[in-house]
Amino acid sequence: MPYSAESLVALLPEIIGAVFLLVVLMVGVFLPGSVRVVGGLAAAGAAAVFAAATWMFASGFHGTFFGGGYVVDGFALYFELLVAGCAFFTVVACLGWARSAGDATEYLVLILSVMLGATLLVSMRDLFGVFLALELSTIPSYALVAFDRRRRESPEGAMKYIITGAVASSVLLYGIVLIYGTTGSASLPDVAKTFSGPQQPAALLGLLLLISGFAFKVSAAPFHFWTPDAYQGAPATAAAFLSVAPKMATFAVFLRVLTEGAPGEAPVWTAVLAVIAIVTMFAGNLPALRQTNVRRMLAYSSVAHSGYVLTAFAAWQGNARAEAVQAVMIYAAAYAVMNLGAFLVVDIVGEEAKSFNGLVRTRPGLAASMFVFMAALVGIPPLSGFWGKLWVILSGAGSGSVLTYVTVGALVVSTVISVPYYFGIVRGMLLEEPVSSEVVKKGEPAGLRLAVHTLAFLTFVFFVGIAPLSAVARAAGML
């Protein structure tokens, strides 16, 4: 399709995000100290990206652009909505901390940069474009992890994140180059033609390296070791944002690459991902049982949830392909609200588990929100996590694959294993005496408090929207 005004419309969310990013940067440079202004602009930017994606979704705008390397469809717009929504709540929640840290402009620009890269990423249909957009969302996240200079864990976490991220990028790029060398094209439809016939060893090796690179990026085992240190070192709002927005965007493009670029090799990559999913679930949940630092516990929890999402990838077989795509989309929305909220509560209360003792007596509203998040992460009905896991289980049950059945069984067992560490927090809030009155006296920004309670409300009423959300996911699915 030749470049046209329609091409610019296809990039509307990204153009809006880039404009607001530059405006926030310029206002921060020329009006130092105007934290409220740059914060308002950053929040408005995320909201504008959300509004643009909503308009494009509602109007049915779709198509491929720029030589087929960029696609706008319901699937991409759905994840753009998730990314922009997470960015909005993060900006609202972080203003108080960013003001006290003294670098509000830089912090907000980094968040908007990650959002811009993630929104581009979900629309990429060319392997080199995928790599560039992935790096655009990843490189600012290194700076976010290292941003809090007052925490001694920040440089260590950032260094581990940079090193593992560089390794992941190298592996991913090498896999892309091998596939390109075999197929002569990086476009997913062309790559799919190559993978539909007899395979060359180089192409299969490229596919395995591609999977390994993405596994690094989404914290899947055995490539997940950077996650606890990075999330512990980062500012709480940055850890919250990085654990949901870019991660879900990476899952989205990972699914697109496999289903559009290598559907002929589905028996291979679904089997590989089933094994990775099983290992990831236990590699996340078992270490989480030993954690006394809630932020590290949530980091290991995020590893386990990557395994849950990969279970849906493994279910992309037989008659369950459409259900598997829907399961990834619904799980992404469910995980975004509950995990983002849990990290933000940690930002208010503190990261040691004992900080939550007696919270129901000192801060009942906050304790209720944390209870909702912990119960949702377990998968207690009717909260959001229950619906995400239910869709994954249903898609696995319909796959007709014994290995996927085993993976779904591992999901159920792994969920049971996770109960003690999630409800350990709840037990402390309900049954233990408060350690001190510090939590009562400690104030927190209104924006942070508003974000926590709004996310708790969305987690709680997720069941109300599950029918329309399912319909949206079905309409937006790639099949």
Side-chain angles (χ1 to χ4, degrees), residues 87 163 201 224 229 345 432:
I163 292 172
H224 64 291
D229 293 314
V345 174
E432 299 292 340

Side-chain angles (χ1 to χ4, degrees), residues 6-17:
E6 199 175 22
S7 302
L8 292 178
V9 176
L11 285 171
L12 185 60
E14 290 78 12
I15 292 173
I16 291 174

Side-chain angles (χ1 to χ4, degrees), residues 345 359-372 452-453 456:
V345 174
L359 194 65
V360 73
R361 289 186 282 281
T362 57
R363 300 290 302 275
L366 203 55
S369 295
M370 191 60 171
F371 173 78
V372 168
V452 166
H453 294 312

Side-chain angles (χ1 to χ4, degrees), residues 298-388:
L298 289 175
Y300 279 111
S301 161
S302 76
V303 172
H305 283 270
S306 293
Y308 302 152
V309 178
L310 289 176
T311 302
F313 278 58
W316 199 81
Q317 303 179 62
N319 297 323
R321 295 184 174 188
E323 287 75 13
V325 174
Q326 290 174 35
V328 173
M329 298 173 75
I330 290 174
Y331 203 99
Y335 178 73
V337 291
M338 61 188 178
N339 202 62
L340 190 61
F343 267 105
L344 295 183
V345 174
V346 174
D347 193 26
I348 296 175
V349 178
E351 54 190 84
E352 293 300 324
K354 63 183 180 183
S355 303
F356 288 81
N357 289 353
L359 194 65
V360 73
R361 289 186 282 281
T362 57
R363 300 290 302 275
L366 203 55
S369 295
M370 191 60 171
F371 173 78
V372 168
F373 296 135
M374 293 294 101
L377 285 166
V378 172
I380 302 296
L383 305 175
S384 64
F386 167 76
W387 298 103

Side-chain angles (χ1 to χ4, degrees), residues 107-195:
Y107 193 67
L108 294 170
V109 165
L110 288 171
I111 290 173
L112 293 180
S113 299
V114 175
M115 179 189 73
L116 177 61
T119 52
L120 272 173
L121 179 61
V122 297
S123 285
M124 287 299 166
R125 214 180 182 197
D126 178 279
L127 291 177
F128 289 113
V130 168
F131 179 79
L132 291 175
L134 191 58
E135 292 306 297
L136 182 60
S137 68
T138 302
I139 291 174
S141 66
Y142 298 146
L144 278 175
V145 171
F147 201 87
D148 192 351
R149 297 185 293 274
R150 296 170 297 187
R151 291 175 62 85
R152 61 180 177 82
E153 297 92 345
S154 288
E156 179 186 350
M159 185 57 67
K160 290 181 179 177
Y161 189 25
I162 291 172
I163 292 172
T164 54
V167 172
S169 298
S170 302
V171 171
L172 183 66
L173 184 58
Y174 194 53
I176 291 173
V177 170
L178 282 177
I179 293 173
Y180 179 78
T182 306
T183 64
S185 173
S187 173
L188 293 183
D190 294 335
V191 172
K193 294 175 185 174
T194 300
F195 280 114

